[in-house]
Amino acid sequence: MKRAIMRNVQNVIFLLFTFVSGVFYLCFYLVSIMLGLALSFTVVGIPLLTHVLRTTQIFVQHERIQTKIYTDISIEPLETRQRAEGNQWMQAKVELMDVRNWISVYWLMQKFFIGCVCLVVGVLIYIGPVCFALVPLLYPYLELTFFGFLVDSDLMALQIMGLGFILMIGCSKIGNGLVQLIGGYTRLMFKAIRR
């Protein structure tokens, strides 16, 4: 029982982390790439793009580690890339022409949409049933309605609590499946980058 509860807490953390990291990747890459492109006619733009594209390898490896910690899906790490020889402009050319950087940016930015789904589903399948289970403690103090019906009796509060416990058991399996699906997304991302 304790192990199942810890697994569910771990799943909730992973789903919320997926949302937060998805928002971060979208904002970071959207703003920095647009800023780098807008400033590309100055001396600052191309080095900015170069440094932003160098972060892809760090973030992809971070996703691999998080997937291993929360889903127990092992993914082989990417081989570390060496910086190109030459001056700053030659290094920038190599980073900008490396297709793996752009593929990584694409896959990392897609995590925003996956993260939004994870946030909604995580709240519905993990937090909703817990709220249902707390209805008998809260209904005397708050005006609660359940699908348009006012919760005003102990019997109705206990029925909602029972529904909450049933949903906790059923939704636990859905949450485990969703977490494994997101782990599979990370595995697909690594396959796409290795090509």
Side-chain angles (χ1 to χ4, degrees):
M1 177 80 171
K2 183 179 178 183
R3 186 174 177 186
I5 292 172
M6 289 305 296
R7 184 70 187 161
N8 287 332
V9 169
Q10 196 174 16
N11 287 348
V12 170
I13 292 169
F14 183 65
L15 293 175
L16 294 177
F17 176 77
T18 301
F19 172 71
V20 171
S21 64
V23 169
F24 170 74
Y25 294 142
L26 181 76
C27 294
F28 176 73
Y29 284 117
L30 195 62
V31 169
S32 58
I33 289 174
M34 288 298 150
L35 184 65
L37 290 174
L39 295 174
S40 63
F41 64 91
T42 67
V43 179
V44 179
I46 301 299
L48 176 66
L49 279 174
T50 303
H51 290 296
V52 166
L53 290 177
R54 284 183 186 152
T55 63
T56 59
Q57 190 172 12
I58 295 166
F59 290 142
V60 166
Q61 294 294 357
H62 180 70
E63 286 295 317
R64 181 186 69 82
I65 292 167
Q66 292 301 321
T67 301
K68 174 62 180 157
I69 290 171
Y70 289 106
T71 65
D72 292 331
I73 295 175
S74 295
I75 302 170
E76 286 292 319
L78 292 174
E79 45 196 60
T80 55
R81 292 178 279 186
Q82 301 297 326
R83 283 193 179 175
E85 298 294 324
N87 62 16
Q88 184 178 11
W89 300 109
M90 292 300 293
Q91 292 176 8
K93 180 181 176 185
V94 170
E95 290 294 332
L96 290 172
M97 300 302 284
D98 191 357
V99 176
R100 292 177 296 178
N101 286 334
W102 296 106
I103 291 172
S104 299
V105 167
Y106 170 76
W107 281 83
L108 289 172
M109 285 178 71
Q110 277 188 345
K111 283 206 66 142
F112 171 73
F113 303 107
I114 294 169
C116 289
V117 170
C118 287
L119 178 67
V120 171
V121 171
V123 167
L124 288 176
I125 65 175
Y126 285 113
I127 298 173
V130 171
C131 292
F132 287 172
L134 296 176
V135 166
L137 299 174
L138 299 176
Y139 93 92
Y141 307 108
L142 301 172
E143 187 174 314
L144 299 175
T145 59
F146 185 72
F147 290 109
F149 297 106
L150 182 66
V151 180
D152 57 355
S153 68
D154 289 335
L155 179 62
M156 188 170 192
L158 290 174
Q159 287 173 342
I160 294 171
M161 183 180 77
L163 177 65
F165 285 125
I166 291 169
L167 287 175
M168 280 184 204
I169 294 167
C171 291
S172 174
K173 296 183 188 309
I174 295 170
N176 287 336
L178 181 63
V179 166
Q180 292 299 316
L181 209 69
I182 296 167
Y185 175 82
T186 306
R187 182 177 283 158
L188 286 174
M189 176 172 63
F190 270 76
K191 284 182 185 177
I193 294 169
R194 283 194 179 105
R195 286 187 200 160

